Amino acid sequence: MAAVESVVFPATLLFWSLLIAEAQIMTRPACQPYCGGIEIPYPFGMKAGCYLEESFKLRCNSTSAAPILTVNGIDLQVRRIWVDDSTIEVDFPIVFANCGGKERNTVVDLEGSPFAFSKWNYFIARGCDNLALMNQNQSTIGGCISICDKNSESAMTTCTGINCCQTKIPSYLKVFNVTLKGVDDGKGKREDTECRYAYLVYQIWINERAYGIGYYGQNEAPYYMRDWDYVPVELDWGIDKRVFESLVKNGSFDNSSYTSHCEILNPSINSTNQSSTVQCSCTAGFGGNPYLDGVCREGASLSFYRRNIKAKMAGLGMLLHFHSIPVRILVAMTKT
Ligand SMILES: *[C@@H]1O[C@H](CO)[C@@H](O)[C@H](O)[C@H]1NC(C)=O
Ligand SMILES: *[C@@H]1O[C@H](CO)[C@@H](O)[C@H](O)[C@H]1NC(C)=O
Ligand SMILES: *[C@@H]1O[C@H](CO)[C@@H](O)[C@H](O)[C@H]1NC(C)=O
Ligand SMILES: *[C@@H]1O[C@H](CO)[C@@H](O)[C@H](O)[C@H]1NC(C)=O
Ligand SMILES: *[C@@H]1O[C@H](CO)[C@@H](O)[C@H](O)[C@H]1NC(C)=O
Ligand SMILES: *[C@@H]1O[C@H](CO)[C@@H](O)[C@H](O)[C@H]1NC(C)=O
Ligand SMILES: *[C@@H]1O[C@H](CO)[C@@H](O)[C@H](O)[C@H]1NC(C)=O
């Protein structure tokens, strides 16, 4: 039962490190640290002088519960911001076709922004004899196909190719642009009027719904999203390399501190308007916000634990059970 021990131990550490992390200063001076109970760490912020640059500007609408991030004209409601592994969780639109007045084909283009879809998302599509494709720059970059079984309710509880299919997404995916089509069922019939839909979704969220473990609890129909409009998606973020270099050059960022570590997320990126991004984290034994000036404070950092948990969660559903414990604590603790 080594698996149990090795996870329960970090869970305890995690609890204490969270308490320590809680006391760390995460914003610039005189900046509002919360919006609707969600922590807003630098480089994110709501007022000028509080965010690093426009891409990290959030709107806090007093009538909504969460801050809004606008990327290339699309508003995304923020569920959580993590500095430790430079990710953000947002509510992301589901794409619908033929779903009784619920037509929607939102294209989300993160090109030119410091955000990208993280590898911790699945692409899931539901429909009968359905071909769901992801497009970027006029070409197909991924997708999946599901066969039809009108009498099967299995797509409610599983997603294995009958009425529902899923796949991983390419790394550094920047565009969500989906095409949904009916395909020939082998008898020459083609389903073109059936309700079909597709979405990106944060793996940990959908797994927890499917396996019924962790914070969100089990759901009878974890893949059935017809009545939903948005599902959680995780985005990676980082500081534009050119901005980062200018901060280091003018002395407002200490890139040589042993308390933190910065690295280029996507060195091979190569498009006219997209620069590489730089991600920073505290080194072991230090906590706080490395993005404030590159210097972390005495105290445990969460980054090691969260990265470790996520790496292990890539494994089996059985293991998921144990590795969900820390995630649940994380979620519970960060809800105020
Ligand atoms: C705040 O949210 C409400 C309801 O969603 C919306 O009608 C309003 O336009 C929003 N205001 C701003 C400033 O975004
Ligand atoms: C998009 O496709 C065009 C034509 O194939 C190509 O010239 C361009 O470099 C591509 N852009 C990106 C960002 O891949
Ligand atoms: C989405 O992808 C399709 C197929 O490649 C393309 O024709 C369309 O222009 C794309 N839409 C946007 C908004 O990029
Ligand atoms: C350093 O550069 C950044 C980005 O160009 C700028 O926002 C900041 O005000 C500069 N700081 C100083 C002390 O010049
Ligand atoms: C500064 O940060 C970059 C990451 O962009 C890294 O490659 C470089 O080695 C760092 N320089 C120093 C002196 O630490
Ligand atoms: C980027 O693209 C240009 C022209 O398309 C090419 O010459 C260059 O080698 C590419 N750089 C990398 C790092 O792939
Ligand atoms: C790149 O940026 C320039 C100037 O900001 C803009 O005119 C152009 O349309 C952009 N290209 C892409 C592919 O986004």
Side-chain angles (χ1 to χ4, degrees):
M1 293 308 286
V4 180
E5 284 162 18
S6 71
V7 175
V8 171
F9 181 55
T12 319
L13 277 182
L14 196 65
F15 180 82
W16 292 111
S17 59
L18 252 169
L19 292 185
I20 295 162
E22 205 67 17
Q24 302 272 9
I25 291 158
M26 301 302 273
T27 62
R28 277 191 167 173
C31 293
Q32 203 182 317
Y34 288 92
C35 168
I38 292 166
E39 192 176 26
I40 315 289
Y42 189 75
F44 293 87
M46 291 171 283
K47 291 204 193 85
C50 291
Y51 48 83
L52 174 63
E53 49 168 341
E54 286 287 323
S55 6
F56 296 108
K57 180 180 177 175
L58 300 175
R59 270 182 297 136
C60 190
N61 187 339
S62 54
T63 59
S64 74
I68 308 288
L69 174 72
T70 306
V71 188
N72 292 338
I74 305 274
D75 281 355
L76 300 169
Q77 186 160 310
V78 175
R79 298 168 64 95
R80 216 167 301 157
I81 300 170
W82 297 100
V83 159
D84 313 276
D85 61 358
S86 304
T87 56
I88 184 170
E89 215 181 298
V90 296
D91 279 331
F92 201 77
I94 302 171
V95 164
F96 293 96
N98 306 326
C99 296
K102 219 180 176 183
E103 299 302 304
R104 184 165 67 181
N105 193 1
T106 313
V107 173
V108 178
D109 188 350
L110 305 175
E111 203 70 38
S113 83
F115 302 96
F117 298 104
S118 89
K119 65 174 181 178
W120 291 95
N121 299 296
Y122 288 128
F123 174 70
I124 298 182
R126 235 190 86 94
C128 212
D129 290 330
N130 186 30
L131 175 65
L133 299 176
M134 285 180 276
N135 311 301
Q136 187 166 359
N137 195 23
Q138 308 299 327
S139 50
T140 299
I141 50 159
C144 65
I145 189 164
S146 56
I147 57 170
C148 191
D149 183 352
K150 284 271 168 60
N151 301 317
S152 172
E153 293 294 298
S154 67
M156 297 286 193
T157 52
T158 64
C159 189
T160 52
I162 298 173
N163 302 338
C164 180
C165 62
Q166 59 182 318
T167 181
K168 290 186 170 184
I169 61 169
S171 42
Y172 308 130
L173 181 66
K174 278 285 199 176
V175 177
F176 179 70
N177 173 1
V178 172
T179 318
L180 300 171
K181 319 185 208 199
V183 287
D184 192 321
D185 68 354
K187 298 181 193 116
K189 278 188 280 176
R190 180 190 261 272
E191 284 288 358
D192 272 330
T193 54
E194 197 78 7
C195 169
R196 41 183 109 248
Y197 53 87
Y199 50 93
L200 285 180
V201 66
Y202 184 38
Q203 285 183 14
I204 293 175
W205 185 84
I206 195 82
N207 281 342
E208 290 198 352
R209 275 172 61 85
Y211 293 104
I213 44 190
Y215 184 75
Y216 300 104
Q218 186 152 24
N219 194 281
E220 288 165 4
Y223 300 98
Y224 186 83
M225 298 292 170
R226 190 179 168 152
D227 304 327
W228 293 56
D229 289 309
Y230 301 91
V231 283
V233 157
E234 188 186 76
L235 307 179
D236 286 321
W237 54 267
I239 299 189
D240 185 291
K241 189 164 159 276
R242 294 161 298 193
V243 174
F244 181 80
E245 280 164 357
S246 77
L247 291 172
V248 172
K249 201 175 263 175
N250 75 12
S252 43
F253 192 99
D254 182 358
N255 189 30
S256 61
S257 169
Y258 65 96
T259 63
S260 74
H261 171 75
C262 296
E263 63 188 11
I264 297 170
L265 172 65
N266 37 10
S268 64
I269 209 148
N270 200 359
S271 95
T272 34
N273 291 2
Q274 186 68 47
S275 146
S276 302
T277 54
V278 178
Q279 290 188 332
C280 301
S281 57
C282 296
T283 48
F286 293 87
N289 189 342
Y291 289 98
L292 276 171
D293 52 10
V295 182
C296 295
R297 319 287 161 206
E298 205 77 34
S301 158
L302 268 183
S303 56
F304 170 76
Y305 303 107
R306 190 167 141 83
R307 278 165 199 236
N308 210 24
I309 290 159
K310 284 172 84 179
K312 286 178 180 167
M313 281 196 71
L316 301 163
M318 273 296 287
L319 284 174
L320 200 71
H321 176 78
F322 300 110
H323 297 299
S324 284
I325 298 166
V327 173
R328 182 165 65 166
I329 294 170
L330 276 178
V331 175
M333 293 287 301
T334 50
K335 286 209 163 180
T336 18

